[in-house]
Amino acid sequence: MIALGLGSFLVMPKAAYAMHIMEGFLPVKWSISWYVLSLPFLIWGLISIQKIIHKEPKYKMLLGLAGAFVFILSALKIPSVTGSCSHPTGVGLGAILFGPTAMTVIGCIVLIFQALLLAHGGITTLGANTFSMGVVGPFASFIIYHGLKRLGGPQWLAVFAAAALGNLLTYVTTSVQLALAFPAATGGFMASLTKFLGVFALTQLPLAISEGLLTVFIFNLLTSYNSAELKELLMFRKEGKV
């Protein structure tokens, strides 16, 4: 009986007025659309992770650390009235180390665990949440980090900006997703987008700054205690070997 109850809990997540875009909140057409848009990035990410592990199995532990960082940070939620919530994402660190598509896979896995075990987000909104936190956030972080490095910016600034702005752009994407699904009766998409951005801006800006500072701290710790491995990984990525 206990096993049956636990099984029902795992395979039948209920609506939760909690984090990410909540279960059952999006209309069916938008739920399917975000799944379809996320799928190519997931496939690309699986191929990327397979190459990393095949060429250098020793990076498994660092990849696991990046996943744990995402899981812990994205579980620290602040509920909002929009059908989603505000929280750090943690995807910037992994995007810098392993590239954006690897974090699409890790982000999706984290979201599945949170939907099934913690009732955060949901299965019907998994595609939308994966696209915002697992695609837009990591790609933004990756581009910002390498852009600042090419301009000669200091390492700490590149890491901070990548993590903080990746977080903010994740929530800009969530706002767009909600505005597309629920355009205002007066003013349509733009009026709705303005409303959602206004709600998130109050909580997301300090969270983004906090995530940027924490990511710099963790990156510096990795540099101090795993300097050789970290340099080798970044060099591998620069040379396109992983």
Side-chain angles (χ1 to χ4, degrees), residues 9-45:
F9 172 74
L10 292 175
V11 301
M12 297 176 63
K14 296 180 179 180
Y17 297 89
M19 62 183 302
H20 311 304
I21 299 178
M22 63 186 178
E23 174 68 9
F25 194 71
L26 292 178
V28 173
K29 71 172 184 178
W30 286 112
S31 293
I32 296 173
S33 297
W34 291 115
Y35 263 103
V36 171
L37 288 171
S38 297
L39 186 59
F41 294 96
L42 279 170
I43 295 171
W44 187 5

Side-chain angles (χ1 to χ4, degrees), residues 169-183:
L169 289 173
T170 294
Y171 273 89
V172 170
T173 305
T174 300
S175 299
V176 170
Q177 291 171 324
L178 292 172
L180 285 169
F182 304 103

